[in-house]
Amino acid sequence: MSIIRDEDGYAFTPLAVLLFIPVIVIAISYGSIANEANMLAALTMGGDVTVTVVGSIYSTVEKAAADAGRNAAYNASRNVIDNAEFFQAGTSKANITRNIVDAINDNVINTSQELEGQTGRQIYINNIPITNYTNATFTTSDVTITQNDPFGFSVEIRGGIPVKVVQRDQVYEFRLPQVSSYVSLEGIEDPYIWINTKFRASNVIYKYPYYASNGTYADYRLNESVDSDGRLQNLWYCLNGTDNPSNITPRPYYFVDPYGLSFFDRLENRSSSADPQYTRMSTFIIGDPLLEDHNGNQYISKVDREYFLGIAGTTIKVRNSVMYDPLGCPFCLSATYKDLLGLAANNYS
C-alpha cells in the first residue's frame, strides 16, 4: 500500500484508497453512521492521525456518557440522603440529565483541547472551534435517558451533531452517530429506604440473582427448597442479601416487581409509579423499624412500598413454623405479593 508522510501524519495515495473501498462498504453495512461514505472516505484520505482524532472524540463521548450517567445517578441519591429531602415529582430525571450533560461537556472539551495540542489539528463541534468553547458543546436536548430494566438506564446522545477536523488546508467533516451507553444502578444506596425508615435502615440496590423470566412468565424461585434451618432457602437469601457484592448482610436484594417503584420514583418518594412496569423494582424491609407507627402490630407486609403504607400482611410457614427474617421478626406479605412471588401456598415442608 502506497502512502505519503507529512509532518503531521499520513495521507494515502489514490491506489491505497481503492483498497479501502471494501472496508468502507462493510463499515456502512454494519455501522449505521450518518453520512457514512463521505465520512469514511474523508478519514481514509486524512491519514492515521486524523483517524485517531476522530476515533478519540467518538470514544470520549461514549465513555463520558456512561461515566456521567453513573456519577449523576449516584450524586442524585446522595443529594436526597444527605439533605433528607426528596426531589419534587417529575424532577429527578431532569436533574440527572442536566448533570450528565455538564459532565459530558467538561470531558469532551478537555479531551478535544488536548487532542489539538498533541496533533496540530483544529477541532470544531457544532461549527465552533473547540478552543472558543466556554460552556456547552451538548445541551439537554441532545441527551435522553431511556430505561429498559429496573437496574439500569441508557444515556442516549442524539446522532447528527457536526464535528470537523482541520488539517492545514484539508477539512474532514462528519456527524456523530447516535451514542447509547448503559448505566448500572447496582451498588447505589436507596434514599427511599433511608428516609422512610426515619434514618433507621439503609439498603443498597443489588438485584436478586435467582429470578427467571422468559418474557411472558416470571418465576421468582423463592420457594424452590427448604434449607437445613427450616427456611425457604432462596427467600432467605433474598431477605439476607446472601453473597451480594458488598458482602454486607443482612441487606435484602431488590427484585423485579410490576407493582413496585422505579429508581426515579424512589428519588421522588412516590407510593405508586407511572413508569413502565418493566422499570420497577421492590425490596423487603427486615426487622420492624416503624413498629411505633403500626401501633405495635408486627403483621405488616414487608415489601418496602406496602410497609411504608402500613398494608397488613400474614406470615409464611415452613414445616408448620412461622418463618422469621434475619433480624428475628415474622416475615409477612400481603395476598397480592404472596400471589406474585409464588408464596400463596403459605406452608412448606
Side-chain angles (χ1 to χ4, degrees):
M1 185 180 294
S2 180
I3 56 176
I4 301 171
R5 180 180 175 88
D6 69 16
E7 63 183 14
D8 291 321
Y10 295 91
F12 294 85
T13 65
L15 176 61
V17 172
L18 291 176
L19 298 177
F20 268 87
I21 289 175
V23 178
I24 293 171
V25 171
I26 292 172
I28 291 171
S29 299
Y30 294 98
S32 298
I33 299 173
N35 249 345
E36 298 94 339
N38 290 338
M39 186 189 94
L40 288 170
L43 296 184
T44 303
M45 292 294 288
D48 64 343
V49 173
T50 300
V51 170
T52 298
V53 170
V54 170
S56 295
I57 293 171
Y58 176 78
S59 63
T60 295
V61 172
E62 188 175 39
K63 186 175 186 302
D67 291 347
R70 174 72 177 184
N71 186 262
Y74 170 80
N75 284 334
S77 180
R78 291 310 316 173
N79 177 68
V80 175
I81 290 170
D82 294 341
N83 296 321
E85 184 177 335
F86 289 103
F87 286 104
Q88 293 182 348
T91 63
S92 61
K93 191 173 290 188
N95 174 275
I96 289 174
T97 301
R98 282 195 303 272
N99 287 337
I100 288 171
V101 169
D102 290 344
I104 291 174
N105 279 325
D106 287 343
N107 202 317
V108 171
I109 291 171
N110 290 337
T111 299
S112 296
Q113 288 175 344
E114 289 179 9
L115 286 169
E116 283 194 336
Q118 293 169 4
T119 66
R121 269 61 172 169
Q122 291 177 290
I123 299 170
Y124 297 73
I125 298 179
N126 280 326
N127 298 312
I128 300 174
I130 200 71
T131 50
N132 286 357
Y133 270 112
T134 56
N135 43 41
T137 59
F138 300 92
T139 68
T140 53
S141 63
D142 297 323
V143 177
T144 57
I145 291 174
T146 302
Q147 193 170 16
N148 292 315
D149 73 79
F151 304 104
F153 59 85
S154 293
V155 176
E156 296 183 355
I157 302 175
R158 71 172 179 86
I161 296 172
V163 177
K164 181 168 61 177
V165 180
V166 177
Q167 177 187 358
R168 293 187 177 178
D169 58 344
Q170 293 180 308
V171 178
Y172 309 98
E173 296 184 77
F174 68 102
R175 293 181 180 273
L176 282 175
Q178 179 173 316
V179 174
S180 182
S181 297
Y182 184 77
V183 176
S184 173
L185 296 171
E186 291 200 73
I188 293 179
E189 189 174 355
D190 185 354
Y192 179 72
I193 302 296
W194 175 244
I195 296 179
N196 280 306
T197 57
K198 300 180 180 178
F199 320 113
R200 297 168 183 172
S202 175
N203 205 8
V204 173
I205 298 170
Y206 291 114
K207 62 184 173 183
Y208 168 64
Y210 305 111
Y211 173 79
S213 173
N214 64 8
T216 56
Y217 175 72
D219 184 2
Y220 290 89
R221 300 176 57 193
L222 292 167
N223 60 357
E224 281 191 336
S225 61
V226 177
D227 65 21
S228 58
D229 293 314
R231 305 170 302 208
L232 289 179
Q233 182 168 291
N234 285 357
L235 176 57
W236 176 263
Y237 284 169
C238 194
L239 291 169
N240 191 50
T242 304
D243 298 326
N244 77 72
S246 75
N247 293 318
I248 299 173
T249 57
R251 180 168 275 172
Y253 285 117
Y254 285 71
F255 55 90
V256 176
D257 178 9
Y259 306 129
L261 302 171
S262 72
F263 175 70
F264 303 101
D265 296 327
R266 291 171 179 275
L267 292 173
E268 296 173 8
N269 196 29
R270 292 180 175 271
S271 58
S272 62
S273 181
D275 285 338
Q277 289 188 348
Y278 54 77
T279 69
R280 304 178 195 174
M281 58 183 162
S282 291
T283 189
F284 296 120
I285 301 297
I286 56 174
D288 200 357
L290 301 181
L291 181 62
E292 74 277 12
D293 290 357
H294 303 143
N295 297 316
N297 178 19
Q298 294 188 73
Y299 299 100
I300 302 295
S301 173
K302 293 301 180 72
V303 173
D304 56 1
R305 181 179 59 86
E306 290 195 332
Y307 180 79
F308 298 136
L309 292 173
I311 294 175
T314 55
T315 60
I316 291 172
K317 290 185 178 180
V318 182
R319 296 174 183 167
N320 295 316
S321 296
V322 171
M323 182 170 167
Y324 290 84
D325 70 25
L327 294 182
C329 289
F331 178 69
C332 300
L333 290 175
S334 67
T336 298
Y337 277 97
K338 282 188 175 183
D339 287 339
L340 176 69
L341 300 175
L343 298 171
N346 212 44
N347 197 1
Y348 300 86
S349 59

